[in-house]
Amino acid sequence: GDSYVKDLSHLQKLHQLVDNDAFIRDISKVKQDNKDKFAQYLEREYRVQINPASMFDVHVKRIHEYKRQLLNCLHIITMYNRIKMNPTAPFVPRTIIIGGKAAPGYHMAKKIIKLITSVGDVVNNDPVVGNKLKVIYLENYRVSLAEKVIPATDLSEQISTAGTEASGTGNMKFMLNGALTIGTMDGANVEMAEEAGEENLFIFGMRVEDVAALDKKGYDAMVYYKRNPELKRVMDQITSGYFSPNNPDLFKDLTDMLFKYDRFKVFADFDDYVKSQEKVSKLYQKPKEWTKMVIKNIASSGKFSSDRTITDYAKEVWGVEPTDLKIPAPNEPREAIVETAKALKK
């Protein structure tokens, strides 16, 4: 039925359908239809050929160092390098979609956007890569664009450094719309993991206490750079101008920050992030298992309704009871307001 419209906790009933083959097919079809529509939109707007069967890996939010779009970008380059090194090796195709706005005077955020688009230019035009990997930067990300991209998303990126995100609500919208989450134990990811079970999200990286311990010890980016050959190669490419041949020093501010004063410790979580992404790809190759996990996430998302939040406030803070009475708008006749007031007194 449609009782969930007024009470989203009713979505819990979907847990009963996790193993229902017909329902699994229905969920998969709705997701694929949304992906097909969004792929057509992207091809029209960005003139990039999209593979609708690829995993739609989406990272849309404000551009900020703590939200770590840079970590995502380093992973994109890592996947690109793997394809280039072994073009015939099996690879789960991905369309990586990053979007969001930066504050006008936020220099580092502008550089992050420039790096993403520069990496996209190289990846999208490399014939060796073909349709295995595409990178799209969504321009002018806004509500009307969110309405298109969120229902089409397979994987939602929520990868801020643990202890930096106050809450976040985009992650909940993705969960409700049938995306799986790759994320750190930060912000509302923590509550999402409590509701759906940590095993139904791709949780990686440092926890708050690990970040605190690293702060105490002192974070040294060079340790991670020297230890991980893939990370070293990626950083050497950015530093040498591989993605900015006309201006090799274009990303010097970014690389200096990552090596010398990265408050958000991108390198520290790189290895675990890449390994977690490999788990994502592995599960994506089993569509039925993937969709079962999707259903578990949708069924667990009822808590994140704003109706539930306001109801809790009403009961626990304001001490008022809910009512179905509609309060007339200020421009409605005075009699209607008086009638409502009488009804409320009864």
Side-chain angles (χ1 to χ4, degrees), residues 56-280:
F56 282 18
D57 174 345
V58 177
H59 197 175
V60 288
K61 50 185 74 248
R62 280 184 301 122
I63 309 299
H64 198 291
E65 288 159 86
Y66 91 83
K67 290 182 183 286
R68 299 202 295 190
Q69 284 91 355
L70 274 174
L71 180 57
N72 191 349
C73 202
L74 299 185
H75 177 241
I76 295 169
I77 301 169
T78 302
M79 288 191 290
Y80 171 73
N81 288 340
R82 287 180 179 182
I83 295 168
K84 292 287 280 183
M85 281 174 71
N86 193 350
T88 57
F91 184 84
V92 177
R94 286 198 193 213
T95 300
I96 297 174
I97 298 159
I98 303 176
K101 290 173 179 172
Y106 190 177
H107 171 73
M108 202 61 80
K110 304 280 183 172
K111 285 290 181 189
I112 291 169
I113 295 171
K114 182 62 180 166
L115 178 62
I116 295 162
T117 56
S118 300
V119 169
D121 287 342
V122 171
V123 171
N124 297 345
N125 295 298
D126 192 320
V128 174
V129 175
N131 67 358
K132 288 179 179 175
L133 186 62
K134 292 291 182 220
V135 181
I136 304 280
Y137 189 85
L138 287 180
E139 296 166 11
N140 191 19
Y141 182 63
R142 56 204 185 277
V143 171
S144 56
L145 196 45
E147 289 171 344
K148 292 183 176 72
V149 66
I150 292 173
T153 299
D154 290 309
L155 184 69
S156 159
E157 301 264 355
Q158 309 294 335
I159 59 177
S160 51
T161 313
T164 58
E165 185 69 80
S167 169
T169 54
N171 45 4
M172 305 166 187
K173 293 166 196 165
F174 283 104
M175 181 189 196
L176 182 61
N177 280 273
L180 296 185
T181 302
I182 183 166
T184 49
M185 271 302 204
D186 192 35
N189 290 356
V190 176
E191 290 164 281
M192 285 163 55
E194 281 171 8
E195 292 299 303
E198 207 174 309
E199 70 281 4
N200 291 311
L201 284 79
F202 298 97
I203 298 292
F204 73 94
M206 296 180 289
R207 310 285 167 128
V208 173
E209 54 274 19
D210 301 322
V211 175
L214 191 52
D215 277 331
K216 203 171 179 183
K217 176 185 159 193
Y219 169 67
D220 181 1
M222 288 305 288
V223 170
Y224 303 95
Y225 169 79
K226 288 173 181 170
R227 188 193 297 161
N228 189 314
E230 286 195 304
L231 175 60
K232 183 179 187 301
R233 185 173 178 209
V234 168
M235 290 308 298
D236 290 350
Q237 285 169 300
I238 298 169
T239 309
S240 67
Y242 186 94
F243 300 102
S244 54
N246 297 328
N247 183 359
D249 289 335
L250 182 60
F251 301 114
K252 190 175 188 309
D253 291 346
L254 269 186
T255 53
D256 281 354
M257 180 273 289
L258 285 170
F259 280 120
K260 297 172 189 170
Y261 46 93
D262 176 14
R263 294 173 296 153
F264 303 108
K265 306 171 181 63
V266 168
F267 290 2
D269 274 341
F270 174 81
D271 190 45
D272 203 21
Y273 179 57
V274 171
K275 284 176 180 159
S276 191
Q277 288 282 15
E278 285 165 4
K279 289 180 196 163
V280 172

Side-chain angles (χ1 to χ4, degrees), residues 321 323 325 338-346:
E321 287 299 314
T323 174
L325 278 171
V338 172
E339 286 299 316
T340 303
K342 281 180 188 170
L344 284 170
K345 280 178 186 172
K346 285 178 186 175

Side-chain angles (χ1 to χ4, degrees), residues 325-341:
L325 278 171
K326 180 176 178 287
I327 298 173
N331 60 346
E332 286 188 23
R334 184 77 205 157
E335 302 81 65
I337 298 172
V338 172
E339 286 299 316
T340 303

